[in-house]
Amino acid sequence: MKNNTKLKGDIAEQAVILKALQMGWEVAKPIGDRLPYDLIIDLSGKLIKIQVKSAWFDEAKKNYVVDNRRTKTNRRVMKREAYSSNDFDFAILYIEDLQVFYIMPVDVFISYGSEIHLVEDEKRQRKPKSAEYREAWHLLST
């Protein structure tokens, strides 16, 4: 399972769905994977488009990483392209090892280069800007 990115993505999506349902929110899942978002969370009639990303551990840097680009695979060719601010409302990044979520507004998510580094090491003197989005579920309801 270590290299199966589709499976890791499915696990991340299911983790987000479970968390949202536990919070009493309604969740819809589009059919297929043609849309730029993975889920829709319905908060009292307000529909929020969610892109879910699974983080992996970078041994060299000792932190978790998420690619913030869209990946399309067509037979033998893998193509990556940037998301736009109209593609979804929030990205939810999931660290499976720790069962931790980062909830980022789309504009924050796309403001990073090609990767977002999530530092879970408490020994750092200065927290990265991604830290403010750790378990920030309240952002969805504001």
Side-chain angles (χ1 to χ4, degrees):
M1 181 177 117
K2 197 170 192 173
N3 293 324
N4 189 335
T5 55
K6 275 285 199 197
L7 180 57
K8 286 182 133 328
D10 289 344
I11 290 169
E13 282 183 27
Q14 296 306 312
V16 171
I17 290 169
L18 178 60
K19 181 71 173 181
L21 292 173
Q22 288 172 334
M23 295 175 81
W25 298 343
E26 302 298 330
V27 181
K29 181 151 176 42
I31 296 172
D33 59 358
R34 298 174 311 282
L35 298 171
Y37 55 90
D38 297 311
L39 305 171
I40 299 167
I41 293 179
D42 183 339
L43 294 177
S44 302
K46 179 182 174 189
L47 302 180
I48 302 167
K49 297 179 289 186
I50 304 292
Q51 173 56 237
V52 178
K53 294 290 186 178
S54 180
W56 69 90
F57 190 72
D58 183 330
E59 287 290 340
K61 294 182 178 154
K62 301 293 184 210
N63 59 30
Y64 291 89
V65 182
V66 170
D67 191 325
N68 71 338
R69 298 169 293 176
R70 178 182 307 161
T71 304
K72 292 182 180 179
T73 306
N74 185 358
R75 299 197 183 170
R76 287 177 244 127
V77 178
M78 184 170 71
K79 180 180 169 188
R80 288 199 167 123
E81 59 187 43
Y83 287 101
S84 78
S85 60
N86 296 324
D87 286 337
F88 51 89
D89 302 309
F90 287 88
I92 300 181
L93 321 179
Y94 181 61
I95 301 175
E96 182 183 0
D97 298 345
L98 306 175
Q99 296 184 12
V100 168
F101 300 90
Y102 285 74
I103 296 81
M104 290 185 173
V106 65
D107 290 333
V108 172
F109 181 77
I110 65 175
S111 72
Y112 285 83
S114 60
E115 293 180 343
I116 299 172
H117 292 262
L118 308 171
V119 179
E120 287 291 315
D121 185 356
E122 291 296 322
K123 295 176 186 170
R124 279 181 63 126
Q125 290 180 330
R126 191 174 58 109
K127 292 202 180 284
K129 77 175 188 177
S130 61
E132 71 184 272
Y133 300 102
R134 188 180 196 274
E135 299 295 341
W137 293 99
H138 65 279
L139 293 176
L140 296 178
S141 57
T142 57

